[in-house]
Amino acid sequence: MDSTATASVPRSRPLATPPASSAGAERGATLIDIKDLDFYYGAKQALFDINLQIPDKRVTAFIGPSGCGKSTLLRCLNRMNDLIDGTSVKRGAIKIRNVDIYGRDVDPIELRKRVGMVFQKSNPFPKSIYENITYGLRIQGVKNKTRLDEVVEKSLRGAALWDEVKDRLHESGLGLSGGQQQRLCIARTIAVEPEVILMDEPCSALDPIATAKVEELIHELKKQFTIIIVTHSMQQAARCSDQTAFFYMGKLIEFDATHNIFMNPKNPQTEAYVSGRFG
Amino acid sequence: MSSPLPDSANPFAPRPTPARRLEGAVSWIFRIATYFVLACGLSIFATIFWKGSATVFRAEFPFVNTAFFTQAPETLYVFEWQGEKREMGDKEFRVFREAEAAKAAAEGRPAPVIRADSYAHSAGGIFPNVVGTVLLVVGSMTIALTLGVCAAIYLSEYARDTAAVRLIRLAILNLAGVPSIVFGLFGFGMFVIFFDWNVSLLAGWFTLAFMVLPVIITASEESLKAVPKGFREGSLALGATKWQTIRKNVLPYALPGILTSSILGIARVAGETAPIMFTAAFVISDRLPWQVEKFSDMFFQGVMALPYHIYVVSSKIPQNEYTERMQYGTAFVFLFTVGLIALTSILLRNKLRGRYKW
Ligand SMILES: Nc1ncnc2c1ncn2[C@@H]1O[C@H](COP(=O)(O)OP(=O)(O)OP(=O)(O)O)[C@@H](O)[C@H]1O
Ligand SMILES: [Mg+2]
């Protein structure tokens, strides 16, 4: 539908329109458009012909049995797979705001500023909480102390962590509990104000209370960010996502509103999976 | 349940099985081996300390032999004078002889003939040697760390696992096993002859640097690899470039490990004699390294160095009680200097390690 527009994309076009106009963009309109995607690790194909439209400012969940390619697809979206030798997108395209992110005029560094990522294993840097949050901005050359202070407070509040850590901003981020560490990583990600936040099983190492906090947070975050979350927990997908994609063996089996996937799946494989009969 | 045991029976009583006897013997073998090594090490240190401290320390204030630390090595003259045995360094002896000759001339006597035994390098001190060794260590470690850390970063962060890179790794590993005399000869051929730097500080720096390079590269690469992958991914996912990631989020955490490896490097650079024998070391030099006309000359002249001095005084000079004092004194100072450098590095490393823990 939008494919005609790509040819005329100017070289310097930003991956995201400025916040002012994006606020005006229709909520739920397609932000990420994945078309006919085939992805390979060396000679091994990991994704087969994926077609998926991910809407703006919504939570999209990726579910499926282990090894079905959820993480692989997620890492395609901010080109983290580029870091692995021999990976390639052999066919198809991923467009974010109509820009082909694997196109030659896209710098993965700029892309990752707009498409942030929270990892399965929380990875706060062995620096102070303050330094963790400001890392992304300092990388971009921001030095202004007031600005940095503001961002630290805003991001920590955004990640529902401010009250717990406001008195120990200059202590190591590694001194926090597992759940706090994961929220610190989320705060660090939102500090650079991305448009999309990718989360790869962000709660798999957390206890139920910490998980509930992160889920609550996801609810808040979707007002501002488009969120894609990979999860192994059906309940989690059901609780916090607006739509769900079910993958199996590298293929997208079904993509629909979360309610439909869980209550009324069209595909028998989806039905088997969400009812817990395999995976 | 089985029948109850009688009260007196102890089911856990030791039984003299072969395995039990072997257990005792084996633990003793390990223990003896360990203490044997310890005893060897201690006796070396004790000998050097005992004999060396006689040269280095003094009973009166300031309790150290200041001349030993501030003067250059000199020839020692030992002679009988008016029924008394006298020991004098070269300079002192010349002054003494002239004074006596003048005295005799004033009294109208012929100048006295002083029959003195001379012992090279047995008077004065080792100041220029300490200076030379420090210069050699600082220069070569700077070169080795710069090159080594760059190479390690390339190998661990940038290079893909190709056949060429594996070959490079193999070459580095092999280089670490090359005897130091071979590095000495290489440095001689390359820097002294081909680059025409002569026997000089510069030639010594590069020769020593090449010698420790493999150790530093291997150890630095290992410390870089020990930094969790999550730190790199987290940084890149925030839009950092590769170099920003390495500089801010990898290298600082690898630094303690790199420093540890450089401790070993320092000890080796300071201690090796063979690599500097043909490239940088002078048996004797009457000027200190900085006593030159123009600054750049400093790098193109050889220096005296502690290990080479030990080699010279213990193998190039007929052995006698006077030279022995210098041998042990130098060895003592040498061990102490290396120990001090190592200690500084360890303290620095501990400080850095406390800062970055994960
Ligand atoms: N670095 C890699 N090199 C080669 N193959 C890989 C690599 N990473 C993943 N794969 C393969 O790609 C396929 C998809 O893996 P992926 O990690 O995307 O699965 P996943 O759905 O995230 O599984 P999980 O739920 O266990 O995290 C798997 O068959 C896996 O073996
Ligand atoms: Mg995964």
Side-chain angles (χ1 to χ4, degrees), chain A residues 109 123 125 127 135 139 174, chain B residues 230 235 239 244 248-249 357:
Chain A
I109 304 293
N123 56 353
F125 305 145
K127 302 172 184 284
Y135 187 88
I139 288 293
L174 295 175
Chain B
S235 169
Q244 285 173 324
K248 301 222 162 161
N249 219 21
K357 222 180 261 159

Side-chain angles (χ1 to χ4, degrees), chain B residues 163-177:
Chain B
V165 168
R166 254 172 282 162
L167 199 70
I168 293 176
R169 285 223 171 81
L170 199 68
I172 291 171
L173 229 57
N174 277 321
L175 212 57

Side-chain angles (χ1 to χ4, degrees), chain A residues 15 77-80 82-83 101 103-115, chain B residues 236-240:
Chain A
L15 272 164
L77 299 178
N78 66 346
R79 292 185 57 173
M80 284 302 272
D82 290 14
L83 307 176
I101 61 167
R104 259 194 287 159
D105 54 351
V106 168
D107 181 357
I109 304 293
E110 295 303 320
L111 173 69
R112 291 181 198 134
K113 287 177 188 163
R114 318 291 324 177
V115 184
Chain B
L236 291 165
L238 287 168

Side-chain angles (χ1 to χ4, degrees), chain B residues 198-228:
Chain B
N198 293 322
V199 171
S200 63
L201 204 50
L202 208 56
W205 280 350
F206 278 93
T207 310
L208 287 170
F210 281 1
M211 184 190 70
V212 284
L213 211 45
V215 180
I216 290 191
I217 294 177
T218 316
S220 304
E221 204 189 332
E222 235 128 74
S223 335
L224 287 167
K225 288 246 163 78
V227 175

Side-chain angles (χ1 to χ4, degrees), chain A residues 88-208:
Chain A
S88 59
V89 171
K90 286 250 168 78
R91 197 172 68 90
I94 299 174
K95 288 184 196 163
I96 299 182
R97 288 203 190 282
N98 268 327
V99 179
D100 179 359
I101 61 167
Y102 281 85
R104 259 194 287 159
D105 54 351
V106 168
D107 181 357
I109 304 293
E110 295 303 320
L111 173 69
R112 291 181 198 134
K113 287 177 188 163
R114 318 291 324 177
V115 184
M117 187 164 205
V118 176
F119 296 83
Q120 173 173 9
K121 198 163 165 280
S122 70
N123 56 353
F125 305 145
K127 302 172 184 284
S128 70
I129 294 170
Y130 187 94
E131 288 297 323
N132 263 281
I133 307 282
T134 55
Y135 187 88
L137 289 178
R138 285 193 200 273
I139 288 293
Q140 295 175 24
V142 178
K143 292 207 177 76
N144 185 317
K145 183 87 170 58
T146 6
R147 167 92 199 283
L148 292 175
D149 287 348
E150 265 168 35
V151 169
V152 167
E153 175 163 357
K154 188 168 155 232
S155 311
L156 284 171
R157 280 192 195 282
L161 194 59
W162 175 252
D163 292 326
E164 289 158 71
V165 302
K166 61 170 182 272
D167 301 321
R168 45 197 277 211
L169 292 178
H170 294 283
E171 286 169 36
S172 171
L174 295 175
L176 299 174
S177 75
Q180 289 173 327
Q181 287 191 8
Q182 195 58 294
R183 278 180 286 145
L184 176 63
C185 292
I186 294 174
R188 186 174 74 190
T189 305
I190 63 182
V192 292
E193 300 189 319
E195 218 171 340
V196 182
I197 301 177
L198 310 173
M199 298 185 174
D200 195 348
E201 302 182 39
C203 302
S204 65
L206 305 184
D207 66 43

